[in-house]
Amino acid sequence: MEFLDRMVPTEDADVSKELLKHYKKLGVKVLLSTKVEGIDDSGDKVKVTVSKDGKEEVLETDKVRQAIGFAPRVEGYGLDKAGVELTDRGAIAVDGRGRTNVEPVGFVKVVADAEHNAILGAHLIGPDVTEQLPVLTLAQQWDLSADEVARNIFAHPTLSEAVKEAVHGIAGHMINF
């Protein structure tokens, strides 16, 4: 179920179209332009009241997973020091080609679990960030933790230091930010 007119509306339109095609092939019913009016979890089944084009319908299911929007988290990356502009909603402002007002800004965020520092994923934005993929895919393929990746030697001065700083931060010893 999606409130807007396509799946993953913040992604590329072709990605949305392809994802919808695959979901339909799997037999998943996708409701677009549909608003959740209410959720009643007081019985054996969960009842979800939805509306589309002025018509309400009650759907019954065993469980409901819900995600409502997102809030940008940009604090602690030094964006203010770099002069990067933010939108009214606090997200990084970019133009039609995904560029910030400060050229070039490379952004690397490595996501890890808090207990073992296992690398769960990464977000990369900026020029030549694809150069960072080998160390991250190697870490994923061999189940390396952020602590183990932080022991690697990264050339200086290079863009790869952004990954180094991210994993060092997770491991508890950032040195340059």
Side-chain angles (χ1 to χ4, degrees):
M1 191 162 328
E2 172 58 54
F3 181 74
L4 296 177
D5 62 348
R6 63 186 174 98
M7 293 181 69
V8 290
T10 58
E11 298 296 328
D12 182 87
D14 290 335
V15 171
S16 297
K17 195 182 305 182
E18 189 67 20
L19 187 60
L20 179 62
K21 184 171 85 175
H22 284 279
Y23 270 51
K24 285 184 176 181
K25 189 186 260 187
L26 291 169
V28 176
K29 182 180 178 182
V30 177
L31 302 174
L32 301 174
S33 302
T34 304
K35 181 180 180 183
V36 174
E37 298 289 347
I39 299 174
D40 178 10
D41 188 14
S42 60
D44 292 341
K45 296 276 188 180
V46 180
K47 295 178 182 177
V48 181
T49 305
V50 299
S51 66
K52 180 176 182 170
D53 300 326
K55 298 177 189 170
E56 278 197 2
E57 179 182 0
V58 177
L59 307 171
E60 288 190 8
T61 185
D62 294 323
K63 295 180 181 180
V64 171
R65 279 196 180 166
Q66 184 177 21
I68 302 172
F70 70 96
R73 291 194 289 172
V74 297
E75 293 82 26
Y77 297 105
L79 298 176
D80 53 338
K81 292 177 187 170
V84 175
E85 291 179 3
L86 302 179
T87 66
D88 293 339
R89 295 186 65 202
I92 298 172
V94 294
D95 65 14
R97 296 185 63 201
R99 298 176 299 191
T100 70
N101 64 306
V102 178
E103 291 287 337
V105 173
F107 171 87
V108 174
K109 179 179 182 180
V110 177
V111 180
D113 83 324
E115 187 176 351
H116 302 288
N117 289 347
I119 295 175
L120 304 174
H123 302 279
L124 309 168
I125 300 172
D128 303 314
V129 293
T130 54
E131 299 296 324
Q132 309 313 308
L133 293 178
V135 69
L136 295 168
T137 56
L138 184 68
Q140 187 273 329
Q141 185 175 15
W142 291 98
D143 292 323
L144 300 176
S145 69
D147 302 281
E148 292 165 321
V149 174
R151 289 188 213 120
N152 189 32
I153 297 172
F154 293 84
H156 173 77
T158 65
L159 190 58
S160 69
E161 288 181 288
V163 172
K164 176 190 79 168
E165 291 299 326
V167 294
H168 276 241
I170 293 166
H173 50 335
M174 284 177 87
I175 58 170
N176 291 317
F177 290 106

